[in-house]
Amino acid sequence: ITPIPLPVLSNVIGPIVSLLAIRLAFRLPPRLPRFIGAREISRSRMYAFIATSAKFIRMLERIARPRFSGWLELRTIRFANALFLVLMGVLLALPIPPVVPFTHSLPSWAIIIVALAMMEGDGVLMVLGYAVGLGTLIYFILCAGLVVAAIQHMFNYN
């Protein structure tokens, strides 16, 4: 979720998010392929991860709570939420060079917010997650437009 992404990390995590979201869309258990899911993480690494993320998780738990959640339980909404996560996972996985800022952090934030809203049944947070996702789509479209304009400019004046 850093503004300038770490090379390759989001390109690996994006497809995993998309795969899990596809399974969620079709109401299948959230399983990873064996070659990913069967990997063991050392205790020391797991404890370090839990210790560093505990403060962040406590903050998220204060923000998220069940609010306006009736509509979140509708089957079509759950399917749409899963497809939204698939889209954000695909955007996260795009091999965009780290020169362009926020191309990995924006989809990451949308994924985090929507996933948290789904877990906590928070309709307000879900709307915020969709707003971040919409902003992400607009940002990607604008970046693509700039790239296309730059390529057209290069070929028209050379």
Side-chain angles (χ1 to χ4, degrees), residues 63-65 67 113-114 116-117 122-130:
I63 294 170
R65 57 187 172 277
R67 300 178 278 196
I113 294 169
V114 168
L116 184 63
D122 192 339
V124 173
L125 206 54
M126 184 63 74
V127 171
L128 176 65
Y130 273 102

Side-chain angles (χ1 to χ4, degrees), residues 107-122:
S108 296
W109 279 112
I111 290 166
I112 290 168
I113 294 169
V114 168
L116 184 63
M118 289 171 73
M119 287 187 296
E120 296 294 327
D122 192 339

Side-chain angles (χ1 to χ4, degrees), residues 6-14 92:
L6 297 171
V8 183
L9 184 62
S10 58
N11 305 103
V12 172
I13 292 176
L92 185 61

Side-chain angles (χ1 to χ4, degrees), residues 1 8 10 20 32 39 49 60 67 104 109 127 156:
I1 57 175
V8 183
S10 58
L20 290 172
L32 292 172
R39 293 180 186 242
F49 174 76
L60 290 177
R67 300 178 278 196
H104 294 90
W109 279 112
V127 171
N156 285 337

Side-chain angles (χ1 to χ4, degrees), residues 40-47:
E40 289 192 29
I41 299 172
S42 68
R43 282 186 181 264
S44 60
R45 204 172 254 183
M46 183 58 77
Y47 285 133

